[in-house]
């Protein structure tokens, strides 16, 4: 319950669900089994918030926020898990006594027993103002996001809405400097993690089972989603080349580039956040990747005007609507206006970095969003002003290509994060 309150700011500064859960687990003394159940309950109640409020509609009026959260957790347990129903009621009534008083505990008892007596049906098609409201309630998503996905994915909309409520697929990227994916898979098996190769990215392994929490980031590999590994695959850096990595963050893509360069060539990383830049430096050293790090705002002129690169990657800041399935609270924190607000930064990054790409060189633009305002509209705007054209995408991405030739990964399908990737080439 404290995790849910942490996320929604009732107990102080808001945290992400994962950060709040890690913090609360460190302060507690739960068994391994109880930690797993607490994770299911906390993440589920955060993610399914809208659907839970559907089940509670008409059963509660004005109640303290903490009691409302207790009811949401209890309804989640009753609807989405196989817990003992009467034990669930007993536990949450006791929780209401701890966080409220006997009168509120009686209210929780009455609401939950009424719920079990009525057994309300799941949201029904036709009972809502329109199809988007129905899908948004059933799969617990903001209506504006469902509406946006309908425009993009049409007949696959419901499949996508259902998929983002399923656990996202974990993946590990192997450091090519320390061996190939096959050798990495064998070493991971020894460490208790079973994987199978990504059908698209050579150094990415998809996790079948294993305890990832105990896997150390020791430079041999790192956890990175398959979709997040695609931009470097499409950039395709070659040994001996000069590569620029923009908005490097913690450095997953920089590590991947360094692996592909095989210690031949140069890598320059730009990161605005000083703390992230320090972490990036540590991770590069641990992975034996040599790179120059520039700390600053990449929308500004940070590099000498005569500094050119064979290939550049922009992993642009974005609304992150493609990864709402991976972060339980994300769907409730984002706003419909985020895409429009961030597009101006994305356009500025493209224009600034394009100046440093050799004629004939490649520029890859990637966002973990599928919002057209941050994807196709940004790229079309850029191509209308700069001497660039779309480049060819590898054949492995054939099933993910848009009509324009960019990569669009639908959120949730096959356990993947939603991503948009455009490969641009500077005309001679």
């Amino acid at each position: 319950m404290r995790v849910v309150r942490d996320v929604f700011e009732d107990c102080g500064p808001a945290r992400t669900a994962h950060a709040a859960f890690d913090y609360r687990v460190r302060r507690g003394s739960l068994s391994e089994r109880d930690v797993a159940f607490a994770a299911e309950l906390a993440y589920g109640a955060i993610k399914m918030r809208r659907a839970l409020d559907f089940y509670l509609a008409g059963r509660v009026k004005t109640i303290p926020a903490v009691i409302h959260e207790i009811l949401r957790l209890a309804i989640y347990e009753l609807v989405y898990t196989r817990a003992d129903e009467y034990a669930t009621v007993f536990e949450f009534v006791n929780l209401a006594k701890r966080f409220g008083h006997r009168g509120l505990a009686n209210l929780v008892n009455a609401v939950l027993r009424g719920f079990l007596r009525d057994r309300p049906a799941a949201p029904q098609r036709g009972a809502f103002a329109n199809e988007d409201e129905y899908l948004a309630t059933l799969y617990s998503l903001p209506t504006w996001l469902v509406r946006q996905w309908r425009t993009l994915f049409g007949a696959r909309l419901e499949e996508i809405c259902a998929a983002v409520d399923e656990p996202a697929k974990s993946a590990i990227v192997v450091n090519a400097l320390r061996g190939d994916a096959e050798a990495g898979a064998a070493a991971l098996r020894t460490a208790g993690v079973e994987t199978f190769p990504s059908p698209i990215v050579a150094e990415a392994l998809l996790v079948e089972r294993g305890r990832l929490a105990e896997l150390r980031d020791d430079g041999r590999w790192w956890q990175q989603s398959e979709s997040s590994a695609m931009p470097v695959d499409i950039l395709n850096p070659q040994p001996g080349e000069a590569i620029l990595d923009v908005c490097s963050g913690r450095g997953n893509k920089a590590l991947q580039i360094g692996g592909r360069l095989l210690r031949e060539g140069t890598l320059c990383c730009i990161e605005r956040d000083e703390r992230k830049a320090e972490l990036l430096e540590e991770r590069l050293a641990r992975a034996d990747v040599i790179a120059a790090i520039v700390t600053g705002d990449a929308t500004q002129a940070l590099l000498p005007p005569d500094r050119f690169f064979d290939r550049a990657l922009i992993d642009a800041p974005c609304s992150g609507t493609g990864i709402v399935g991976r972060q339980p609270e994300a769907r409730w924190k984002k706003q419909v206006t985020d895409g429009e607000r961030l597009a101006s930064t994305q356009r500025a990054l493209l224009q600034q970095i394009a100046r440093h790409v050799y004629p004939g060189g490649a520029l890859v633009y990637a966002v973990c969003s599928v919002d057209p305002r941050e994807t196709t509209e940004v790229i079309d705007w850029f191509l209308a002003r700069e001497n660039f054209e779309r480049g060819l995408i590898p054949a492995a991405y054939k099933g993910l290509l848009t009509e324009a030739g960019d990569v669009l990964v639908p959120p949730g399908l096959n356990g993947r994060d939603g991503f948009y990737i455009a490969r641009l080439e500077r005309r001679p």
Side-chain angles (χ1 to χ4, degrees), residues 230-297:
M230 290 178 183
V232 172
D233 188 51
I234 291 170
L235 184 72
N236 194 23
Q238 298 296 310
E241 291 184 334
I243 308 295
L244 177 62
D245 179 43
V246 182
C247 306
S248 297
R250 297 175 63 254
N252 282 342
K253 295 179 181 66
L255 294 172
Q256 198 183 350
I257 292 169
R260 290 207 177 196
L261 287 178
L262 297 174
R263 299 193 182 91
E264 298 176 26
T266 61
L267 171 61
C268 178
C269 302
I270 299 178
E271 172 50 43
R272 180 176 185 168
D273 187 307
E274 291 185 1
R275 288 180 301 175
K276 288 181 181 176
E278 289 173 6
L279 181 58
L280 167 65
E281 188 173 12
E282 292 171 12
R283 296 186 74 209
L284 289 169
R286 202 154 54 228
D288 290 334
V289 172
I290 298 171
I293 300 175
V294 177
T295 305
D297 180 355

Side-chain angles (χ1 to χ4, degrees), residues 111-126:
V111 170
L112 296 182
R113 288 188 182 278
F115 176 86
L116 289 175
R117 194 167 50 247
D118 300 343
R119 303 282 178 179
Q124 300 294 304
R125 183 172 263 115

Side-chain angles (χ1 to χ4, degrees), residues 152-384:
L152 284 167
F153 302 111
R156 303 192 78 181
L157 173 63
E158 184 160 4
E159 188 185 359
I160 289 169
C161 292
V164 295
D165 283 347
E166 296 298 317
K169 192 172 287 181
S170 299
I172 293 171
V173 172
V174 174
N175 183 354
L177 294 174
R178 305 278 182 87
D180 59 16
E182 189 176 347
L188 285 164
R189 196 174 303 119
T190 302
V193 178
E194 291 288 340
T195 62
F196 59 95
S198 159
I200 296 181
V201 182
E203 63 267 59
L205 298 167
L206 305 179
V207 176
E208 202 161 27
R209 58 181 171 274
R211 296 168 60 93
L212 291 180
E214 296 177 2
L215 204 61
R216 288 180 56 235
D217 179 358
D218 60 3
R220 287 182 294 171
W221 49 57
W222 51 90
Q223 292 182 43
Q224 179 182 1
S225 77
E226 184 191 32
S227 296
S228 174
M230 290 178 183
V232 172
D233 188 51
I234 291 170
L235 184 72
N236 194 23
Q238 298 296 310
E241 291 184 334
I243 308 295
L244 177 62
D245 179 43
V246 182
C247 306
S248 297
R250 297 175 63 254
N252 282 342
K253 295 179 181 66
L255 294 172
Q256 198 183 350
I257 292 169
R260 290 207 177 196
L261 287 178
L262 297 174
R263 299 193 182 91
E264 298 176 26
T266 61
L267 171 61
C268 178
C269 302
I270 299 178
E271 172 50 43
R272 180 176 185 168
D273 187 307
E274 291 185 1
R275 288 180 301 175
K276 288 181 181 176
E278 289 173 6
L279 181 58
L280 167 65
E281 188 173 12
E282 292 171 12
R283 296 186 74 209
L284 289 169
R286 202 154 54 228
D288 290 334
V289 172
I290 298 171
I293 300 175
V294 177
T295 305
D297 180 355
T299 64
Q300 306 300 312
L302 296 175
L303 301 172
D306 59 350
R307 181 85 186 272
F308 289 93
F309 297 87
D310 297 291
R311 305 172 199 245
L313 170 64
I314 301 176
D315 183 16
C318 69
S319 64
T321 55
I323 55 174
V324 294
R326 190 173 293 277
Q327 300 171 349
E329 77 290 352
R331 64 189 71 188
W332 311 124
K333 301 290 185 180
K334 300 187 184 306
Q335 304 294 322
V336 67
T337 54
D338 288 349
E340 184 177 346
R341 176 174 55 82
L342 289 158
S344 61
T345 301
Q346 294 154 358
R347 288 193 292 264
L349 282 169
L350 274 166
Q351 281 202 304
Q352 186 63 245
I353 299 307
R355 300 170 186 169
H356 298 284
V357 176
Y358 279 124
L363 171 58
V364 168
Y365 170 84
V367 285
C368 55
S369 166
V370 295
D371 186 331
R373 295 169 297 180
E374 303 175 84
T375 59
T376 50
E377 290 179 20
V378 167
I379 294 304
D380 289 345
W381 177 92
F382 174 77
L383 291 176

